[in-house]
Amino acid sequence: MDFLILFLFYLALVLIGGVTICICSKAHYLKVLVKGAAQMISHMIPEYLQRAVLKLLHYLFHTRNHTFIILHLLLQGMIYAEYTWEIFGYCLELGFSLRYLLLPYLLLVINLVFFMLSCVSNPGTITKANEFLFLQAYEFNAMTFPKNMKCFTCNVRKPARSKHCSVCDRCVHRFDHHCVWVNNCIGAWNARYFLIYLLTLAASAATMATVSTMLLVQLVVLSDLYLETYVDDLGHLQVIDIVFLIQYLFLTLPRIVFMLGFVVMLSFLLGGYLCFTLYLTATNQTTNEWYRGDRAWCRHCPRVVAWPRSAEPQVSRNIHSRGLWSNLGEIFLPDTAHRAKKMN
Ligand SMILES: [Zn+2]
Ligand SMILES: [Zn+2]
């Protein structure tokens, strides 16, 4: 029982932590809190260890490296190995439809293709040769993307909605964010690959969670376990309840239950992030713009909105949004990519 409670506590903590970070990531007090915690820890840890940790963090998050790609493939490999080794075999024996059982493999193939594309594709790097093409893509606005700005590192004129990625050391058109998991920037030209990658990853986690749950339910039903009784610590006869069942399954099928816990957690985290990305796609915003709270001159109500985003939301439209289908088209069929191909 202790182990089950600890595991559920751990699961809840990770989920609450993830959601809190998402909600509070823009809040000033979180930065103050992190700074305060870092200062407190710095008094407790020796200086050489601090330097080593900072060096490691810098390497992991501020340089281009393959660490997270390897970790990603390792985790995915482990989950699929467990699925193939135990769940697939059990389900076949219990007469599950082969079509449902093969679905995670189909999603894996699509996911790996789009994972690779997200890793290696050009996100829309701005160079001297193509800067004119990107400068024409979006309108400038005085507040967030002023005209005639220059990136002194790349020596290019900065198009609207672009940003210099300090990790990749380049300016990227319609910069969304730098993703450590694909070791690449997400920009105008590869946002579509990233979206499908995310969609298939979330779908494969959800599919595996569903199949694993169905297997455990089927095992409980077939064994009539829920009809059994047990003697509790006080010597009383008790009917088996859901908590006892989970504990029993944990002890008899630990790998499957642990994997189920992991994929359920992944399904929630990836599902949440997918919803956020779909919201940005549907409203034609980038993560960078959302984070900065950008709202420029509203076409339909010409007034400037406070920037950074004020407590009171004043404008519901941004100047780049042209309706759902048009916004989706911008992600899946980026005009600049088409025109750049023509130029080459
Ligand atoms: Zn630059
Ligand atoms: Zn980057």
Side-chain angles (χ1 to χ4, degrees):
M1 184 62 75
D2 291 347
F3 186 56
L4 175 65
I5 290 169
L6 270 176
F7 180 74
L8 290 175
F9 179 71
Y10 162 77
L11 201 71
L13 210 68
V14 171
L15 280 174
I16 293 167
V19 172
T20 313
I21 286 170
C22 287
I23 294 169
C24 303
S25 60
K26 295 168 79 180
H28 175 68
Y29 57 80
L30 187 80
K31 286 175 191 164
V32 174
L33 203 75
V34 169
K35 216 174 167 183
Q39 267 177 356
M40 230 171 71
I41 292 167
S42 69
H43 292 300
M44 293 152 64
I45 301 173
E47 212 169 294
Y48 73 92
L49 208 62
Q50 284 181 42
R51 273 202 299 272
V53 170
L54 285 175
K55 218 171 167 181
L56 179 69
L57 289 175
H58 177 80
Y59 172 75
L60 287 176
F61 297 103
H62 295 286
T63 62
R64 286 193 86 179
N65 64 79
H66 293 98
T67 313
F68 284 93
I69 291 186
I70 295 166
L71 187 65
H72 183 299
L73 293 173
L74 209 67
L75 279 173
Q76 211 168 16
M78 278 164 66
I79 293 172
Y80 269 89
E82 174 57 21
Y83 179 79
T84 310
W85 189 253
E86 289 196 292
I87 296 171
F88 191 83
Y90 271 135
C91 289
L92 267 186
E93 279 176 33
L94 292 172
F96 279 49
S97 165
L98 196 62
R99 224 182 306 161
Y100 294 123
L101 295 181
L102 291 176
L103 192 59
Y105 296 108
L106 176 70
L107 288 166
L108 175 69
V109 172
I110 303 170
N111 179 256
L112 286 178
V113 169
F114 284 94
F115 178 61
M116 281 295 293
L117 285 170
S118 302
C119 291
V120 300
S121 59
N122 180 355
T125 306
I126 304 164
T127 60
K128 270 271 166 213
N130 64 19
E131 66 173 356
F132 187 67
L133 170 75
F134 293 130
L135 283 165
Q136 293 173 316
Y138 295 113
E139 30 182 313
F140 292 90
N141 63 73
M143 290 195 71
T144 51
F145 295 107
K147 223 173 182 176
N148 300 323
M149 292 296 282
K150 198 171 176 179
C151 174
F152 291 103
T153 314
C154 308
N155 198 26
V156 292
R157 283 184 290 162
K158 282 178 86 88
R161 309 188 83 184
S162 69
K163 190 178 182 287
H164 182 86
C165 175
S166 57
V167 181
C168 303
D169 199 24
R170 62 182 168 187
C171 273
V172 175
H173 174 54
R174 202 187 187 278
F175 179 84
D176 193 274
H177 69 287
H178 179 89
C179 178
V180 289
W181 293 103
V182 299
N183 193 27
N184 199 2
C185 282
I186 306 302
W189 291 358
N190 65 353
R192 52 192 162 163
Y193 303 142
F194 184 73
L195 190 63
I196 300 172
Y197 152 73
L198 195 60
L199 186 80
T200 48
L201 195 65
S204 63
T207 314
M208 279 196 184
T210 309
V211 173
S212 310
T213 307
M214 280 164 63
L215 168 69
L216 293 179
V217 169
Q218 190 84 334
L219 286 174
V220 169
V221 170
L222 285 176
S223 61
D224 286 338
L225 206 62
Y226 59 100
L227 298 173
E228 300 289 331
T229 52
Y230 70 99
V231 180
D232 67 9
D233 296 342
L234 301 168
H236 300 133
L237 203 64
Q238 299 280 356
V239 179
I240 284 182
D241 56 11
I242 185 77
V243 177
F244 188 94
L245 267 180
I246 296 172
Q247 185 194 2
Y248 177 80
L249 289 170
F250 227 129
L251 293 172
T252 48
L253 302 161
R255 282 191 299 273
I256 294 180
V257 178
F258 190 80
M259 194 202 92
L260 175 61
F262 188 67
V263 287
V264 165
M265 187 179 75
L266 269 185
S267 303
F268 278 112
L269 290 176
L270 291 170
Y273 184 51
L274 177 68
C275 288
F276 171 67
T277 308
L278 286 173
Y279 159 74
L280 293 182
T281 305
T283 53
N284 205 329
Q285 293 182 76
T286 63
T287 307
N288 177 42
E289 289 159 357
W290 176 85
Y291 184 76
R292 289 169 52 184
D294 287 359
R295 282 291 189 280
W297 289 92
C298 174
R299 183 182 304 284
H300 306 282
C301 101
R303 62 194 164 114
V304 175
V305 176
W307 184 82
R309 191 180 288 177
S310 64
E312 279 181 45
Q314 297 178 41
V315 170
S316 57
R317 284 168 175 267
N318 65 37
I319 58 168
H320 304 296
S321 182
R322 305 271 188 275
L324 178 65
W325 296 114
S326 183
N327 293 343
L328 286 175
E330 205 173 299
I331 292 292
F332 288 99
L333 300 163
D335 185 44
T336 46
H338 178 66
R339 279 162 54 197
K341 251 184 206 167
K342 269 187 176 176
M343 276 165 60
N344 292 332

